[in-house]
Amino acid sequence: MDEGEQRSQRHVRRTVSMLGACLATTAAGTVYLFSTYGPALSHRLNLSSSQSNVVAISANYGLLLSGPFFGWAADTMGPRVLSLIAGIGSFTAFTALAYTYSGAWQMPSWLLLALYMVLVGLSAQSANMAAVTTTTKNFKQNRGSAVSLCIAFFGLSPFVLSHVNTVFFAGDEPDTFGYLKFLSFLGLVTSVAAAGCLTVVGFGPSRYQSVPPGFVVDRAPSSSSSSGLLSDRDDESVYGAVKAVAPSRVQELGEGSAGSSTTAGPVDVAPSGVDYDTARDLGGWAYVNDVEARLLMLVLFLCAGIGIFYNNNIGTMVNAMYYSSTPRPEARTAQRLINHHVAVVSLGSFVGRLTIGIVADMCKRIWRLPRSGILVVITACVLVSQLVVISATTLPSLLVGSACTGLSYGFTFGFVPTLVSVWFGTRHFGANWGITTVFTGFSGQMLGAVFGRVYDANLPDRDPAQCPQGACYRAAFGLAVTVAIAGVIAAAVLAKRRARRRRDNRRRWEAEEIEHVEYVPFVLAE
């Protein structure tokens, strides 16, 4: 098979794998649908706002705390096994919720609902890690755009499914049981389909026509293809960054040495052709102990937690706004309004996840803007969204807050995975990304717990009609604004550290201290 046929075959396999990744993240997006069935579930089973918050956040605990494990599994076992696990888990969890809601299954304690939601989160993380890790390892030049597209379907799924709920299940008497059964079969079918599509194809042959003297192309280790992992190293080598070696070693390596792509003769590389934002191959404790990795975890902990908290409580907020402002409220209308807000949050998240990677890639290529600076702008967007929500006193103004929150949440979760892969390498990406997200649920839980306490304290009889203009929960968003401000500060500190690293790398490069520049990815024309 000649090189052209190999390239064409890789392109087809990469496209099919991308389709599978989008299916997998669509299934994973069901974790954000609690607001579409949570109020009905809480009403039927007589849960307080605090209990409902615990049940809702349990899905996020399952999603985020399992990140390191499923990330490691994606790196070692491949995406297909994880997709099948996701399908079985999602089917089991939503079936259990459906029959508990209908009364067919007894509920000895409301904590059993929390256990079911943990399983929903575990299934979502399994599908998500299978998709994102595979996409990260299949794309290099347009990785930000590819990962954003994959993750965008994570955000789009609630938008589509909330509309499905509105059209088919939110009649005069909302059919929550039928909706939960639909979600159970949806997760199973999409995950099985994704398992058949996902495979790690790799970057393909090096795009570098020539590599500057003193550099070799660093390759990722080969793996077994039985589970969807890369196997054919000769034809489909995964090329990482261009790794710098000391000039004295260039002669030792020689032309044609294993792992070497050095060229004889000088190669002119313009200063604009070098990306000084280096990628270090870190994983495990080395990643956890890195200051910049910890700062990135902190930014995600603060900013993404706000989105999780808002997703889990938007149903309660809409109910309070609607019942307190309508003389003759109807359950059907309330459910439709909740679905509408969930759809807006989801659509905003989808647009944010989809566009941020494309915009960031363009800013990096055209204007050479640092990614750390873009992160500061994203955290500022999170702050603005919470200022809009805290000032909302009507359903239309709350809808604007929902759109802003969804958009900023999409920006955050669509961009940070790219930072992890670019700054710390793709070899351990699955585990690194799982570690980065693991504590995010705790900030969402903290904000959710405050929301529940404030809401229950102001409405002891649980009557949402007694909450004019959202007064019963507004104090909780004062804390959300404070958390967002802390996120902006953390991102600014991280950006300052990254700027110092880029300056140091450029100084070493220009001084030809190549042995001190561990990894320098090149941005060369194809």
Side-chain angles (χ1 to χ4, degrees):
M1 185 182 296
D2 61 28
E3 183 178 342
E5 291 177 344
Q6 290 179 11
R7 186 182 297 275
S8 177
Q9 187 179 78
R10 276 193 298 270
H11 178 72
V12 171
R13 292 175 62 192
R14 191 177 287 116
T15 301
V16 172
S17 185
M18 190 71 206
L19 176 62
C22 292
L23 284 173
T25 49
T26 297
T30 55
V31 73
Y32 293 133
L33 287 170
F34 182 80
S35 288
T36 62
Y37 58 83
L41 191 70
S42 299
H43 178 74
R44 173 69 66 91
L45 301 176
N46 197 31
L47 301 182
S48 68
S49 179
S50 295
Q51 290 171 335
S52 180
N53 255 292
V54 172
V55 172
I57 201 67
S58 295
N60 297 110
Y61 279 143
L63 175 74
L64 299 168
L65 295 181
S66 63
F69 170 75
F70 284 119
W72 167 84
D75 287 334
T76 56
M77 298 168 58
R80 293 172 182 166
V81 174
L82 266 65
S83 293
L84 293 176
I85 291 173
I88 296 171
S90 180
F91 177 80
T92 303
F94 281 112
T95 298
L97 286 170
Y99 284 103
T100 301
Y101 171 84
S102 68
W105 292 6
Q106 295 300 314
M107 186 184 70
S109 170
W110 64 271
L111 291 175
L112 190 60
L113 292 175
L115 183 61
Y116 297 153
M117 293 304 294
V118 168
L119 184 55
V120 170
L122 290 172
S123 304
Q125 186 64 280
S126 183
N128 182 53
M129 278 297 179
V132 176
T133 302
T134 302
T135 303
T136 299
K137 294 182 178 181
N138 281 346
F139 293 87
K140 183 180 179 69
Q141 290 294 318
N142 300 300
R143 184 183 299 157
S145 302
V147 172
S148 293
L149 176 62
C150 168
I151 296 179
F153 278 84
F154 202 166
L156 183 65
S157 176
F159 170 76
V160 175
L161 295 178
S162 62
H163 275 295
V164 170
N165 185 21
T166 298
V167 174
F168 296 103
F169 300 101
D172 293 331
E173 290 294 329
D175 184 12
T176 304
F177 173 78
Y179 179 55
L180 290 169
K181 286 291 292 179
F182 165 74
L183 293 179
S184 69
F185 283 101
L186 178 74
L188 179 63
V189 171
T190 54
S191 295
V192 170
C197 298
L198 286 170
T199 183
V200 178
V201 181
F203 303 150
S206 177
R207 292 169 179 249
Y208 303 114
Q209 300 301 317
S210 55
V211 181
F215 286 81
V216 294
V217 175
D218 187 30
R219 299 170 183 259
S222 59
S223 307
S224 171
S225 62
S226 61
S227 60
L229 289 170
L230 190 66
S231 62
D232 192 346
R233 179 168 178 166
D234 292 332
D235 292 337
E236 297 176 340
S237 297
V238 179
Y239 287 83
V242 178
K243 187 176 182 180
V245 296
S248 58
R249 287 198 59 218
V250 177
Q251 298 299 325
E252 298 174 15
L253 289 169
E255 273 186 54
S257 296
S260 174
S261 296
T262 57
T263 58
V267 177
D268 293 328
V269 181
S272 60
V274 179
D275 185 350
Y276 298 102
D277 213 1
T278 57
R280 295 171 293 153
D281 188 18
L282 297 184
W285 286 112
Y287 177 77
V288 173
N289 291 326
D290 185 77
V291 175
E292 292 172 6
R294 289 182 175 181
L295 282 170
L296 192 58
M297 293 179 208
L298 179 61
V299 171
L300 194 67
F301 170 82
L302 296 169
C303 294
I306 291 174
I308 293 171
F309 148 69
Y310 193 87
N311 270 314
N312 290 337
N313 291 282
I314 184 59
T316 301
M317 295 160 61
V318 171
N319 265 342
M321 283 278 194
Y322 172 70
Y323 280 96
S324 63
S325 61
T326 306
R328 295 182 179 179
E330 298 178 351
R332 177 183 180 181
T333 303
Q335 184 61 54
R336 287 181 179 274
L337 285 171
I338 291 172
N339 290 343
H340 186 49
H341 274 260
V342 171
V344 168
V345 172
S346 173
L347 184 60
S349 179
F350 169 76
V351 172
R353 293 170 193 244
L354 181 63
T355 58
I356 189 61
I358 299 172
V359 171
D361 282 350
M362 290 178 60
C363 291
K364 187 70 178 174
R365 288 184 180 182
I366 299 174
W367 298 294
R368 313 295 295 168
L369 295 179
R371 296 181 180 90
S372 53
I374 298 172
L375 183 63
V376 175
V377 175
I378 290 173
T379 56
C381 291
V382 174
L383 174 59
V384 170
S385 72
Q386 295 313 291
L387 292 173
V388 173
V389 171
I390 199 173
S391 62
T393 57
T394 62
L395 281 170
S397 58
L398 183 62
L399 190 65
V400 176
S402 294
C404 292
T405 301
L407 190 65
S408 61
Y409 184 65
F411 285 160
T412 304
F413 258 109
F415 189 59
V416 176
T418 302
L419 295 183
V420 173
S421 66
V422 171
W423 290 351
F424 305 102
T426 60
R427 191 186 305 271
H428 307 287
F429 170 79
N432 289 348
W433 176 231
I435 293 170
T436 304
T437 61
V438 71
F439 298 111
T440 308
F442 290 106
S443 59
Q445 170 63 50
M446 175 190 69
L447 291 168
V450 171
F451 180 94
R453 287 182 176 274
V454 170
Y455 186 89
D456 288 340
N458 290 325
L459 293 179
D461 57 355
R462 303 178 191 173
D463 182 9
Q466 304 302 315
C467 182
Q469 299 182 335
C472 60
Y473 62 74
R474 182 164 292 110
F477 282 92
L479 178 60
V481 170
T482 303
V483 169
I485 292 173
V488 174
I489 295 172
V493 172
L494 176 57
K496 185 176 180 180
R497 287 186 61 91
R498 294 299 302 186
R500 184 165 59 247
R501 179 183 293 280
R502 287 192 301 275
R503 287 194 301 269
D504 290 344
N505 286 335
R506 179 161 189 164
R507 177 182 56 79
R508 289 168 179 169
W509 172 270
E510 292 173 346
E512 297 184 355
E513 297 176 6
I514 298 177
E515 65 273 17
H516 299 300
V517 187
E518 185 178 1
Y519 281 84
V520 181
F522 277 77
V523 184
L524 300 180
E526 296 183 17

